[in-house]
Amino acid sequence: MSEPLLSIKGVSAFYGSIAALKGIDVEVMPGEIVTIIGANGAGKSTLMMTICGNPQAREGSIVFEGRDITQLPTHEIMRMKIAQSPEGRRIFPRMTVYENLQMGAATAEGGDFRSELARVYSLFPILEKRSSQRGGTLSGGEQQMLAIGRALMSRPRLLLLDEPSLGLAPLIVRQIFSAIRDLNQREKLTIFLVEQNAFHALKLAHRGYVMVNGRIALQGTGRELLERPEVRSAYLEGGR
Amino acid sequence: MEYFLQQSINGLALGSIYGLVAIGYTMVYGIIGMINFAHGDIFMVGTFIALIAFLILVAIGITAIPLALFLMLLIAMLLTSLYGWAVERIAYRPLRGSFRLAPLISAIGMSIVLQNYVQLAQGARVKTLQPLITGTHTVLDLGNRFVVQVSNIQILIVLTTLALMTGFTWIISSTSLGRDMRACEQDLKMAALLGVDTNRTISLTFLIGAALASVAGMMYLLYYGVIDFHIGFVAGVKAFTAAVLGGIGSLPGAMLGGLLIGLIETYWSAYFSVQYKDVAAFSILIVVLIFMPTGILGRPEVEKV
Ligand SMILES: Nc1ncnc2c1ncn2[C@@H]1O[C@H](COP(=O)(O)OP(=O)(O)OP(=O)(O)O)[C@@H](O)[C@H]1O
Ligand SMILES: [Mg+2]
C-alpha cells in the first residue's frame, strides 16, 4: 500500500462556538478521485476550506505528502501544491480571464506559465476566446471553467473541487465532468470532489464518503455507495 | 480671466498634494474596507521627517539643493513608510476579523497617538523652512494688472506627482505585486487560496500609501514652509474627501478627486472667503455623501458575483 497523499484524522472545526466538523477521518490516495456527498449544511465546504487552513482545524491533524499542515497559514498550504476551486467559484470579477489565470499561477515558482496556459486553454477552449474579458461578465459555466482552470495553473498535486456542477446546464455539467475524468486519467491528478450531483460524482469517483451533520456517516467505493439503499433514498431520489 | 488661470495653477499644485494622500485612503479602503484615519497624520509625520532630514543634511554639510532634496525625499519615504507599516501591525492587524467598527476606533486612537507623539517630540509651535526652490515663470502677460505666473516649486509638485502616478499605475496594473493587491481588494479569501500572503500584501499597501503621503508631505513643506503637529487632521479630511469624491476604492478617482478638491478650495478662497476655505471641502464631503455616495469613478457595490 502506498502512503495517502492527504490524510485527515479526527478533524474538528468551528465557526465561533458552533462545530461544523466533528471528528472527520478521510484519506485520499495518490491518483484517486474521492468524492464527498451530503445534504446542504453537512459541512462539505467547511472540510474543503479546513484543508486549506481557513478555518483551521481545532482538533485532529491534516497531513499532506507526509507533512503536517494543520497549523500552517492558508497561503503556505496552497504553496505546497494544493489548489481549490471553491464554492461559488470566486472569480476575481474586475480582472480579465487572463489575469485570473495569472493569479492561479502565483505559486508556480519556476513553472512555465506559457505551457500551463496552453494546457488550460486546450482543456477549456472557451477561456482562450474570452481571455481579455472581465471575469465578472462571464456566464456561470464559463466562470466554473475559469475557476477550475485557475486552480490548475499552479500544477497542483491535489485538486479540491467544491460543487463544480452547481447551477449549470446538463451539457456543461457533462463537459466539466469529462474534463475532471481526463485530468485524472491522463495526468494522474488526484482530485477531491464535493458534489450535490451524487449520481454523477459517485459514478466518476473511485471512492466516496457520505457526510451528515459534520460527521462521516458512510464510506465505500463509488459503486458500493451507489447501491446502498440509504444513499439511493437520501441522495438519489427517483433512482436516477 | 488671468486671475482665474492663476488660481487654476495654484489649485492644481495643491490638488496634486491632496491626490497623493488620497491614494493612501483609497488603497487601504479597497483592500481591507476600513478608513485609515491615521493616514493624515502619517502625512504630517512625513513633513516632519523631511524637515528634520533637511536640517541634518545641512548640519553635515550637504547643501547642494538638488542633492539635498533628493536625499530628503529618500529618507522621508523610507522612514514614513515604516510608520505606515507599523500603524497597521500595531493597531489594525490584531483586530482583523473582529467587528467592523473596531479598527476604525483604533485608527482614531492611532491618529491621536501620532499627533501627541510629534507634539511631545517636536513641540507644539510651528516649524518653518525657508524656501528652497525659488523662481517663477511668467506664463501670460497681457500688459494689464495681472500676470499669470507658475513657480518652480509648483512645476516640481505637478511633475513629481505625475511621475509617481505613472509609476504607481504601472505597479498596480502590470506587476505581480499589483495583481496580488487587486486580488486582495476583490476577494481576500480567494487570494489566500491562490497562495497570496495576504498579510504581506496588506502591509505593502500601507507601506506604499505612506510613502506616497510622505512625498506629498515633503512637497507641502517645500510649498508652504510652515508645519505643525496638527496639519495632518485638516489635510487628512480633505484628502479623504477627495477619495470619496473620486469614488472610494478607485485609484484614478483619488487623483481626480484630489485635483478637484484642490481647485475648488483655491477658487473658493479666491472668490469667496479665505477664512472659510476648509468649509468648502467639508461641504463637498456632505453633498457627495448624500447625492453620489459612490463618487465620480466609484462603482456601486452590486458587482459581486
Ligand atoms: N462562515 C461561516 N460562519 C458561520 N457558520 C458557517 C459559516 N460557513 C458555514 N457555516 C455553517 O457550517 C455548516 C456547514 O456549512 P458548509 O458550507 O460546510 O455546508 P455544505 O455541506 O458545504 O453545504 P452546501 O451543500 O449547502 O454547500 C452550516 O451549518 C453552515 O451554516
Ligand atoms: Mg458547500
Side-chain angles (χ1 to χ4, degrees), chain A residues 89 91-93 95-98 100-101 126-147, chain B residues 303 305:
Chain A
R89 305 168 194 134
I91 297 304
F92 297 114
M95 285 191 189
T96 63
V97 167
Y98 183 79
N100 268 280
L101 293 171
I126 188 76
L127 294 182
E128 185 162 19
K129 286 206 202 93
R130 298 271 183 268
S131 66
S132 55
Q133 192 174 324
R134 275 150 56 106
T137 63
L138 296 178
S139 75
E142 290 162 351
Q143 286 196 359
Q144 189 58 61
M145 294 181 213
L146 179 54
Chain B
E303 205 183 344
V305 264

mmCIF file of all heavy atoms in Angstrom, chain A residues 89 91-93 95-98 100-101 126-147, chain B residues 303 305:
data_model
loop_
_atom_site.group_PDB
_atom_site.id
_atom_site.type_symbol
_atom_site.label_atom_id
_atom_site.label_comp_id
_atom_site.label_asym_id
_atom_site.label_seq_id
_atom_site.Cartn_x
_atom_site.Cartn_y
_atom_site.Cartn_z
ATOM 1 N N ARG A 89 -17.266 29.674 -6.862
ATOM 2 C CA ARG A 89 -16.271 29.955 -7.913
ATOM 3 C C ARG A 89 -15.292 31.061 -7.582
ATOM 4 O O ARG A 89 -14.121 30.978 -7.912
ATOM 5 C CB ARG A 89 -16.950 30.291 -9.243
ATOM 6 C CG ARG A 89 -17.901 29.181 -9.656
ATOM 7 C CD ARG A 89 -18.791 29.580 -10.787
ATOM 8 N NE ARG A 89 -19.880 28.637 -10.939
ATOM 9 C CZ ARG A 89 -21.142 28.983 -11.110
ATOM 10 N NH1 ARG A 89 -21.479 30.250 -11.183
ATOM 11 N NH2 ARG A 89 -22.059 28.051 -11.221
ATOM 12 N N ILE A 91 -14.424 33.945 -8.806
ATOM 13 C CA ILE A 91 -13.624 34.567 -9.863
ATOM 14 C C ILE A 91 -13.379 36.022 -9.458
ATOM 15 O O ILE A 91 -14.256 36.651 -8.880
ATOM 16 C CB ILE A 91 -14.426 34.508 -11.188
ATOM 17 C CG1 ILE A 91 -14.660 33.062 -11.612
ATOM 18 C CG2 ILE A 91 -13.734 35.297 -12.285
ATOM 19 C CD1 ILE A 91 -13.410 32.260 -11.744
ATOM 20 N N PHE A 92 -12.194 36.539 -9.738
ATOM 21 C CA PHE A 92 -11.973 37.964 -9.495
ATOM 22 C C PHE A 92 -12.750 38.743 -10.548
ATOM 23 O O PHE A 92 -12.406 38.694 -11.732
ATOM 24 C CB PHE A 92 -10.483 38.300 -9.554
ATOM 25 C CG PHE A 92 -9.683 37.609 -8.490
ATOM 26 C CD1 PHE A 92 -8.745 36.647 -8.820
ATOM 27 C CD2 PHE A 92 -9.877 37.902 -7.149
ATOM 28 C CE1 PHE A 92 -8.015 35.992 -7.837
ATOM 29 C CE2 PHE A 92 -9.154 37.254 -6.157
ATOM 30 C CZ PHE A 92 -8.228 36.299 -6.500
ATOM 31 N N PRO A 93 -13.794 39.451 -10.141
ATOM 32 C CA PRO A 93 -14.725 39.988 -11.136
ATOM 33 C C PRO A 93 -14.138 41.100 -12.000
ATOM 34 O O PRO A 93 -14.507 41.239 -13.150
ATOM 35 C CB PRO A 93 -15.888 40.518 -10.291
ATOM 36 C CG PRO A 93 -15.318 40.758 -8.934
ATOM 37 C CD PRO A 93 -14.220 39.758 -8.759
ATOM 38 N N MET A 95 -10.968 41.449 -12.879
ATOM 39 C CA MET A 95 -9.757 41.077 -13.595
ATOM 40 C C MET A 95 -10.180 40.331 -14.848
ATOM 41 O O MET A 95 -11.231 39.679 -14.871
ATOM 42 C CB MET A 95 -8.894 40.134 -12.752
ATOM 43 C CG MET A 95 -8.172 40.818 -11.628
ATOM 44 S SD MET A 95 -6.972 39.651 -10.962
ATOM 45 C CE MET A 95 -6.458 40.545 -9.527
ATOM 46 N N THR A 96 -9.330 40.395 -15.858
ATOM 47 C CA THR A 96 -9.649 39.658 -17.068
ATOM 48 C C THR A 96 -9.464 38.160 -16.805
ATOM 49 O O THR A 96 -8.876 37.756 -15.798
ATOM 50 C CB THR A 96 -8.719 40.053 -18.227
ATOM 51 O OG1 THR A 96 -7.387 39.706 -17.863
ATOM 52 C CG2 THR A 96 -8.785 41.552 -18.503
ATOM 53 N N VAL A 97 -9.977 37.376 -17.743
ATOM 54 C CA VAL A 97 -9.796 35.926 -17.658
ATOM 55 C C VAL A 97 -8.311 35.598 -17.577
ATOM 56 O O VAL A 97 -7.867 34.783 -16.758
ATOM 57 C CB VAL A 97 -10.454 35.257 -18.885
ATOM 58 C CG1 VAL A 97 -10.031 33.802 -19.014
ATOM 59 C CG2 VAL A 97 -11.967 35.380 -18.800
ATOM 60 N N TYR A 98 -7.536 36.283 -18.410
ATOM 61 C CA TYR A 98 -6.090 36.051 -18.438
ATOM 62 C C TYR A 98 -5.463 36.361 -17.076
ATOM 63 O O TYR A 98 -4.652 35.576 -16.564
ATOM 64 C CB TYR A 98 -5.478 36.913 -19.548
ATOM 65 C CG TYR A 98 -3.995 36.724 -19.746
ATOM 66 C CD1 TYR A 98 -3.507 35.635 -20.453
ATOM 67 C CD2 TYR A 98 -3.093 37.651 -19.235
ATOM 68 C CE1 TYR A 98 -2.149 35.457 -20.645
ATOM 69 C CE2 TYR A 98 -1.729 37.492 -19.425
ATOM 70 C CZ TYR A 98 -1.259 36.395 -20.125
ATOM 71 O OH TYR A 98 0.088 36.231 -20.316
ATOM 72 N N ASN A 100 -6.949 36.396 -14.188
ATOM 73 C CA ASN A 100 -7.383 35.373 -13.242
ATOM 74 C C ASN A 100 -6.488 34.145 -13.327
ATOM 75 O O ASN A 100 -6.110 33.568 -12.312
ATOM 76 C CB ASN A 100 -8.843 34.988 -13.511
ATOM 77 C CG ASN A 100 -9.839 35.806 -12.704
ATOM 78 O OD1 ASN A 100 -10.067 35.535 -11.524
ATOM 79 N ND2 ASN A 100 -10.419 36.817 -13.331
ATOM 80 N N LEU A 101 -6.151 33.778 -14.561
ATOM 81 C CA LEU A 101 -5.278 32.618 -14.736
ATOM 82 C C LEU A 101 -3.863 32.927 -14.229
ATOM 83 O O LEU A 101 -3.206 32.062 -13.641
ATOM 84 C CB LEU A 101 -5.255 32.186 -16.204
ATOM 85 C CG LEU A 101 -6.587 31.623 -16.717
ATOM 86 C CD1 LEU A 101 -6.549 31.414 -18.225
ATOM 87 C CD2 LEU A 101 -6.946 30.319 -16.004
ATOM 88 N N ILE A 126 -12.976 27.733 -24.591
ATOM 89 C CA ILE A 126 -13.736 28.981 -24.495
ATOM 90 C C ILE A 126 -12.957 30.050 -23.731
ATOM 91 O O ILE A 126 -13.082 31.239 -23.993
ATOM 92 C CB ILE A 126 -15.112 28.722 -23.817
ATOM 93 C CG1 ILE A 126 -16.020 29.959 -23.883
ATOM 94 C CG2 ILE A 126 -14.946 28.329 -22.367
ATOM 95 C CD1 ILE A 126 -16.619 30.165 -25.227
ATOM 96 N N LEU A 127 -12.097 29.621 -22.790
ATOM 97 C CA LEU A 127 -11.355 30.596 -21.986
ATOM 98 C C LEU A 127 -10.379 31.398 -22.848
ATOM 99 O O LEU A 127 -10.136 32.577 -22.587
ATOM 100 C CB LEU A 127 -10.588 29.891 -20.858
ATOM 101 C CG LEU A 127 -11.447 29.220 -19.788
ATOM 102 C CD1 LEU A 127 -10.557 28.602 -18.713
ATOM 103 C CD2 LEU A 127 -12.423 30.200 -19.161
ATOM 104 N N GLU A 128 -9.848 30.761 -23.864
ATOM 105 C CA GLU A 128 -8.926 31.492 -24.733
ATOM 106 C C GLU A 128 -9.677 32.578 -25.493
ATOM 107 O O GLU A 128 -9.197 33.696 -25.624
ATOM 108 C CB GLU A 128 -8.236 30.528 -25.706
ATOM 109 C CG GLU A 128 -7.190 31.224 -26.548
ATOM 110 C CD GLU A 128 -6.195 30.269 -27.193
ATOM 111 O OE1 GLU A 128 -6.503 29.063 -27.285
ATOM 112 O OE2 GLU A 128 -5.122 30.742 -27.598
ATOM 113 N N LYS A 129 -10.878 32.234 -25.949
ATOM 114 C CA LYS A 129 -11.675 33.233 -26.664
ATOM 115 C C LYS A 129 -12.039 34.400 -25.751
ATOM 116 O O LYS A 129 -12.183 35.525 -26.181
ATOM 117 C CB LYS A 129 -12.973 32.599 -27.174
ATOM 118 C CG LYS A 129 -12.782 31.689 -28.350
ATOM 119 C CD LYS A 129 -14.064 31.614 -29.177
ATOM 120 C CE LYS A 129 -14.112 30.359 -30.010
ATOM 121 N NZ LYS A 129 -14.809 29.237 -29.340
ATOM 122 N N ARG A 130 -12.213 34.106 -24.466
ATOM 123 C CA ARG A 130 -12.664 35.136 -23.531
ATOM 124 C C ARG A 130 -11.492 35.800 -22.791
ATOM 125 O O ARG A 130 -11.705 36.508 -21.829
ATOM 126 C CB ARG A 130 -13.585 34.502 -22.486
ATOM 127 C CG ARG A 130 -14.850 33.892 -23.051
ATOM 128 C CD ARG A 130 -15.962 34.922 -23.101
ATOM 129 N NE ARG A 130 -17.197 34.319 -23.586
ATOM 130 C CZ ARG A 130 -17.540 34.305 -24.880
ATOM 131 N NH1 ARG A 130 -16.757 34.864 -25.779
ATOM 132 N NH2 ARG A 130 -18.673 33.755 -25.255
ATOM 133 N N SER A 131 -10.273 35.549 -23.232
ATOM 134 C CA SER A 131 -9.128 35.856 -22.359
ATOM 135 C C SER A 131 -9.052 37.315 -21.920
ATOM 136 O O SER A 131 -8.573 37.598 -20.833
ATOM 137 C CB SER A 131 -7.826 35.447 -23.032
ATOM 138 O OG SER A 131 -7.618 36.256 -24.168
ATOM 139 N N SER A 132 -9.545 38.247 -22.727
ATOM 140 C CA SER A 132 -9.434 39.641 -22.287
ATOM 141 C C SER A 132 -10.744 40.184 -21.727
ATOM 142 O O SER A 132 -10.875 41.370 -21.463
ATOM 143 C CB SER A 132 -8.939 40.515 -23.438
ATOM 144 O OG SER A 132 -9.786 40.356 -24.540
ATOM 145 N N GLN A 133 -11.718 39.280 -21.522
ATOM 146 C CA GLN A 133 -12.988 39.705 -20.937
ATOM 147 C C GLN A 133 -12.892 39.673 -19.415
ATOM 148 O O GLN A 133 -12.176 38.858 -18.841
ATOM 149 C CB GLN A 133 -14.076 38.736 -21.404
ATOM 150 C CG GLN A 133 -15.485 39.188 -21.125
ATOM 151 C CD GLN A 133 -16.501 38.235 -21.750
ATOM 152 O OE1 GLN A 133 -16.265 37.691 -22.840
ATOM 153 N NE2 GLN A 133 -17.604 38.026 -21.074
ATOM 154 N N ARG A 134 -13.606 40.599 -18.772
ATOM 155 C CA ARG A 134 -13.552 40.626 -17.316
ATOM 156 C C ARG A 134 -14.309 39.453 -16.701
ATOM 157 O O ARG A 134 -15.390 39.088 -17.164
ATOM 158 C CB ARG A 134 -14.124 41.939 -16.789
ATOM 159 C CG ARG A 134 -13.074 43.055 -16.765
ATOM 160 C CD ARG A 134 -13.664 44.421 -16.972
ATOM 161 N NE ARG A 134 -14.714 44.745 -16.025
ATOM 162 C CZ ARG A 134 -14.550 45.608 -15.020
ATOM 163 N NH1 ARG A 134 -13.398 46.200 -14.826
ATOM 164 N NH2 ARG A 134 -15.551 45.880 -14.212
ATOM 165 N N GLY A 135 -13.711 38.864 -15.658
ATOM 166 C CA GLY A 135 -14.269 37.674 -15.031
ATOM 167 C C GLY A 135 -15.723 37.823 -14.638
ATOM 168 O O GLY A 135 -16.520 36.896 -14.807
ATOM 169 N N GLY A 136 -16.070 39.006 -14.105
ATOM 170 C CA GLY A 136 -17.433 39.223 -13.618
ATOM 171 C C GLY A 136 -18.481 39.177 -14.702
ATOM 172 O O GLY A 136 -19.669 39.061 -14.412
ATOM 173 N N THR A 137 -18.064 39.283 -15.977
ATOM 174 C CA THR A 137 -19.050 39.304 -17.050
ATOM 175 C C THR A 137 -19.191 37.940 -17.733
ATOM 176 O O THR A 137 -19.934 37.803 -18.690
ATOM 177 C CB THR A 137 -18.664 40.349 -18.123
ATOM 178 O OG1 THR A 137 -17.422 39.950 -18.706
ATOM 179 C CG2 THR A 137 -18.502 41.727 -17.515
ATOM 180 N N LEU A 138 -18.484 36.925 -17.237
ATOM 181 C CA LEU A 138 -18.606 35.589 -17.835
ATOM 182 C C LEU A 138 -19.923 34.937 -17.416
ATOM 183 O O LEU A 138 -20.483 35.258 -16.376
ATOM 184 C CB LEU A 138 -17.456 34.688 -17.375
ATOM 185 C CG LEU A 138 -16.037 35.055 -17.781
ATOM 186 C CD1 LEU A 138 -15.065 34.056 -17.181
ATOM 187 C CD2 LEU A 138 -15.901 35.091 -19.286
ATOM 188 N N SER A 139 -20.368 33.986 -18.218
ATOM 189 C CA SER A 139 -21.535 33.196 -17.830
ATOM 190 C C SER A 139 -21.136 32.246 -16.705
ATOM 191 O O SER A 139 -19.946 32.025 -16.450
ATOM 192 C CB SER A 139 -22.047 32.395 -19.022
ATOM 193 O OG SER A 139 -21.185 31.301 -19.252
ATOM 194 N N GLY A 140 -22.149 31.676 -16.054
ATOM 195 C CA GLY A 140 -21.868 30.773 -14.941
ATOM 196 C C GLY A 140 -20.972 29.610 -15.336
ATOM 197 O O GLY A 140 -20.024 29.260 -14.636
ATOM 198 N N GLY A 141 -21.265 29.025 -16.485
ATOM 199 C CA GLY A 141 -20.470 27.884 -16.945
ATOM 200 C C GLY A 141 -19.033 28.282 -17.234
ATOM 201 O O GLY A 141 -18.084 27.581 -16.876
ATOM 202 N N GLU A 142 -18.894 29.449 -17.883
ATOM 203 C CA GLU A 142 -17.543 29.928 -18.185
ATOM 204 C C GLU A 142 -16.778 30.229 -16.903
ATOM 205 O O GLU A 142 -15.585 29.937 -16.782
ATOM 206 C CB GLU A 142 -17.628 31.185 -19.063
ATOM 207 C CG GLU A 142 -18.111 30.912 -20.477
ATOM 208 C CD GLU A 142 -18.595 32.169 -21.193
ATOM 209 O OE1 GLU A 142 -18.727 33.235 -20.556
ATOM 210 O OE2 GLU A 142 -18.866 32.082 -22.400
ATOM 211 N N GLN A 143 -17.485 30.792 -15.932
ATOM 212 C CA GLN A 143 -16.831 31.081 -14.655
ATOM 213 C C GLN A 143 -16.349 29.799 -13.991
ATOM 214 O O GLN A 143 -15.274 29.753 -13.399
ATOM 215 C CB GLN A 143 -17.791 31.816 -13.708
ATOM 216 C CG GLN A 143 -18.014 33.250 -14.096
ATOM 217 C CD GLN A 143 -18.640 34.066 -12.976
ATOM 218 O OE1 GLN A 143 -18.931 33.554 -11.901
ATOM 219 N NE2 GLN A 143 -18.856 35.335 -13.246
ATOM 220 N N GLN A 144 -17.169 28.751 -14.089
ATOM 221 C CA GLN A 144 -16.765 27.491 -13.474
ATOM 222 C C GLN A 144 -15.524 26.930 -14.146
ATOM 223 O O GLN A 144 -14.604 26.447 -13.494
ATOM 224 C CB GLN A 144 -17.916 26.479 -13.536
ATOM 225 C CG GLN A 144 -17.643 25.229 -12.741
ATOM 226 C CD GLN A 144 -17.376 25.533 -11.279
ATOM 227 O OE1 GLN A 144 -18.225 26.079 -10.586
ATOM 228 N NE2 GLN A 144 -16.181 25.225 -10.795
ATOM 229 N N MET A 145 -15.503 27.020 -15.478
ATOM 230 C CA MET A 145 -14.315 26.535 -16.190
ATOM 231 C C MET A 145 -13.105 27.365 -15.803
ATOM 232 O O MET A 145 -11.998 26.831 -15.640
ATOM 233 C CB MET A 145 -14.541 26.596 -17.703
ATOM 234 C CG MET A 145 -15.628 25.639 -18.158
ATOM 235 S SD MET A 145 -15.844 25.714 -19.953
ATOM 236 C CE MET A 145 -17.588 25.395 -20.075
ATOM 237 N N LEU A 146 -13.315 28.672 -15.657
ATOM 238 C CA LEU A 146 -12.205 29.538 -15.265
ATOM 239 C C LEU A 146 -11.726 29.186 -13.858
ATOM 240 O O LEU A 146 -10.516 29.136 -13.602
ATOM 241 C CB LEU A 146 -12.631 31.011 -15.338
ATOM 242 C CG LEU A 146 -11.574 32.036 -14.934
ATOM 243 C CD1 LEU A 146 -10.284 31.854 -15.724
ATOM 244 C CD2 LEU A 146 -12.109 33.456 -15.108
ATOM 245 N N ALA A 147 -12.666 28.884 -12.966
ATOM 246 C CA ALA A 147 -12.270 28.547 -11.594
ATOM 247 C C ALA A 147 -11.419 27.277 -11.581
ATOM 248 O O ALA A 147 -10.414 27.203 -10.875
ATOM 249 C CB ALA A 147 -13.508 28.376 -10.717
ATOM 250 N N GLU B 303 -21.606 44.587 -7.997
ATOM 251 C CA GLU B 303 -20.980 43.728 -8.989
ATOM 252 C C GLU B 303 -20.511 42.384 -8.426
ATOM 253 O O GLU B 303 -19.993 41.550 -9.144
ATOM 254 C CB GLU B 303 -19.793 44.445 -9.622
ATOM 255 C CG GLU B 303 -19.470 43.923 -11.013
ATOM 256 C CD GLU B 303 -18.239 44.596 -11.584
ATOM 257 O OE1 GLU B 303 -17.831 45.638 -11.077
ATOM 258 O OE2 GLU B 303 -17.694 44.039 -12.537
ATOM 259 N N VAL B 305 -20.023 38.745 -7.468
ATOM 260 C CA VAL B 305 -20.581 37.521 -8.039
ATOM 261 C C VAL B 305 -20.888 36.507 -6.954
ATOM 262 O O VAL B 305 -20.264 36.503 -5.916
ATOM 263 C CB VAL B 305 -19.607 36.863 -9.047
ATOM 264 C CG1 VAL B 305 -19.961 37.302 -10.457
ATOM 265 C CG2 VAL B 305 -18.183 37.191 -8.718
#
